[in-house]
């Protein structure tokens, strides 16, 4: 991963504060950290469909009340949408079935509490920004932008009833002397592709000045950082999904959280060679 091309692919009117994306069968699914809708954008037809994830869905929800959906993953024809766990009302996971178009929700607070207890992560430090599921194993990407900078990958064993969590810390490259920390991740074959951004803050709750973003790869088996490259000095990219893959290059789609109430989202295309 030595060369990259970053460009604007299109804009979607009607979505604000995009925090995660997933591409599947010409449809782009987008989540927002201050909304309780799942957004389904038909790329060929340029049509946006808003799917309620709760009984009374809202947009531009105040920070103290929002569900803070930051992660979206795909497994067995279902989408899983997960809150960050950074406050008590951000502990929800929603499962959306693509076949039946129905959703169900579950309280994830017990699992988050197990993670904090087993890994000695303080309540104010937990901040999950990415989710990968492979068989019965969860890989959670902890954005360590708190005081203790506990940035890394949390993963479990395959025993759903008695999960044992492990933590692999990652010291990612700095931007302007500020460490970058995870904002999303996906799995392509046996390699993790991740986004990370540097933000001038020591809080998992309050935003700071955005200093840029990097993309990198991690070997899933060894859990070792393989490569990384800075792709922006101003964007806080928070969503990542595979678009196209050939023998010589990979095309990814990215979104960014603009931290405003404007309902407009820019989708970027990133080509890696």
């Amino acid at each position: 991963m030595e060369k990259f091309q970053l460009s604007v692919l299109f804009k979607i009117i009607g979505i604000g504060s995009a925090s995660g994306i997933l591409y599947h069968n010409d449809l782009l699914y987008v989540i927002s950290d201050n909304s309780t809708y799942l957004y389904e954008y038909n790329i060929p037809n340029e049509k946006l469909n808003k799917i309620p994830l709760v009984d009374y869905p809202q947009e531009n929800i105040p920070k103290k009340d929002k569900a803070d959906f930051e992660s979206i993953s795909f497994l067995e024809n279902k989408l899983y949408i997960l809150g960050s766990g950074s406050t008590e009302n951000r502990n929800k996971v929603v499962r959306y079935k693509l076949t039946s178009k129905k959703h169900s929700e579950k309280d994830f607070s017990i699992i988050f509490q197990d993670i904090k207890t087993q890994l000695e992560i303080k309540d104010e430090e937990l901040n999950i920004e990415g989710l990968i599921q492979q068989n019965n194993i969860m890989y959670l990407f902890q954005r360590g932008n708190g005081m203790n900078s506990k940035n890394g990958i949390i993963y479990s064993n395959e025993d759903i009833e008695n999960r044992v969590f492990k933590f692999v810390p990652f010291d990612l490259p700095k931007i302007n002397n500020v460490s970058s920390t995870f904002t999303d991740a996906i799995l392509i074959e046996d390699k993790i592709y991740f986004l990370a951004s540097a933000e001038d803050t020591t809080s998992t709750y309050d935003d700071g000045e955005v200093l840029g973003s990097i993309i990198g790869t991690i070997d899933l088996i060894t859990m070792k950082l393989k490569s990384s490259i800075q792709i922006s000095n101003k964007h806080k990219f928070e969503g990542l999904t595979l678009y196209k893959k050939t023998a010589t290059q990979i095309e990814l789609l990215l979104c960014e959280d603009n931290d405003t109430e404007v309902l407009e989202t820019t989708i970027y295309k990133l080509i890696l060679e």
Side-chain angles (χ1 to χ4, degrees):
M1 188 171 63
E2 298 178 353
K3 298 180 181 179
F4 75 92
Q5 300 175 44
L6 180 66
S7 60
V8 173
L9 187 60
F10 52 77
K11 293 187 178 183
I12 306 175
I13 305 300
I15 307 174
S17 298
S19 56
I21 54 176
L22 191 144
Y23 175 75
H24 181 68
N25 291 343
D26 283 335
L27 297 174
L28 187 65
Y29 294 94
V30 185
I31 56 173
S32 166
D33 65 9
N34 65 358
S35 169
T36 44
Y37 284 100
L38 169 66
Y39 301 91
E40 181 186 76
Y41 184 72
N42 188 307
I43 296 177
N45 298 332
E46 300 181 358
K47 290 185 177 180
L48 179 64
N49 179 31
K50 295 183 180 182
I51 302 167
L53 295 177
V54 298
D55 290 338
Y56 302 100
Q58 295 177 279
E59 294 173 303
N60 282 333
I61 301 170
K63 189 170 208 171
K64 64 182 179 64
D65 301 321
K66 67 182 186 179
D68 202 31
F69 290 131
E70 293 283 357
S71 308
I72 181 170
S73 68
F74 178 85
L75 181 67
E76 297 176 350
N77 219 32
K78 302 180 188 71
L79 301 181
Y80 291 83
I81 300 150
L82 180 65
S84 66
S86 56
T87 65
E88 289 183 1
N89 56 314
R90 300 178 179 185
N91 294 333
K92 183 182 297 183
V93 62
V94 178
R95 182 179 66 178
Y96 178 74
K97 296 183 179 180
L98 296 180
T99 50
S100 66
K101 309 296 183 183
K102 294 182 178 180
H103 74 273
S104 60
E105 64 179 70
K106 179 181 178 181
D107 186 354
F108 216 67
S109 57
I110 294 177
I111 294 177
F112 279 150
Q113 187 57 54
D114 285 344
I115 289 172
K116 289 185 285 187
T117 300
Q118 291 182 29
L119 302 179
E120 298 182 346
I121 298 175
K122 295 180 180 179
D123 289 344
E124 64 272 17
E125 293 289 330
L126 189 69
N127 190 17
I128 303 302
E129 295 274 338
L131 167 66
I132 291 174
Q133 296 179 95
Q134 188 185 48
N135 302 320
N136 287 326
I137 302 177
M138 293 188 305
Y139 297 89
L140 300 168
F141 290 78
Q142 157 74 8
R143 179 166 164 79
N145 60 331
M147 288 293 292
N148 294 325
S149 299
K150 203 158 187 175
N151 184 78
I153 300 176
I154 299 166
Y155 68 99
S156 67
N157 59 352
E158 297 186 37
D159 187 345
I160 297 176
E161 298 300 324
N162 298 287
R163 288 193 186 274
V164 176
F165 293 96
K166 296 182 180 180
F167 180 79
V168 181
F170 279 88
D171 186 11
L172 300 177
K174 293 183 177 181
I175 302 175
N176 291 350
N177 294 318
V178 176
S179 295
S180 60
T181 52
F182 289 127
T183 56
D184 202 6
I186 58 173
L187 185 64
I188 302 176
E189 296 173 352
D190 60 349
K191 190 180 294 184
I192 296 170
Y193 284 75
F194 69 87
L195 287 173
S197 67
E199 197 170 359
D200 195 5
T201 180
T202 57
S203 171
T204 61
Y205 185 82
D206 296 317
D207 300 318
E209 179 187 359
V210 175
L211 303 176
S213 295
I214 69 169
I215 190 163
T217 59
I218 295 170
D219 186 290
L220 179 67
I221 306 303
T222 64
M223 283 289 175
K224 299 294 184 182
L225 180 67
K226 302 296 290 184
S227 62
S228 66
I229 187 170
Q230 185 173 343
I231 56 174
S232 174
N233 61 5
K234 61 180 181 180
H235 296 289
K236 181 186 176 184
F237 290 119
E238 290 203 6
L240 174 70
T241 188
L242 177 63
Y243 188 42
K244 298 176 183 178
K245 185 178 185 297
T246 68
T248 57
Q249 66 181 28
I250 289 179
E251 295 185 23
L252 304 166
L253 301 184
L254 281 62
C255 69
E256 65 175 327
D257 185 353
N258 50 24
D259 287 327
T260 73
E261 294 185 357
V262 178
L263 296 180
E264 179 180 288
T265 289
T266 301
I267 302 299
Y268 298 83
K269 182 169 71 171
L270 177 66
I271 300 176
L272 300 175
E273 298 180 1

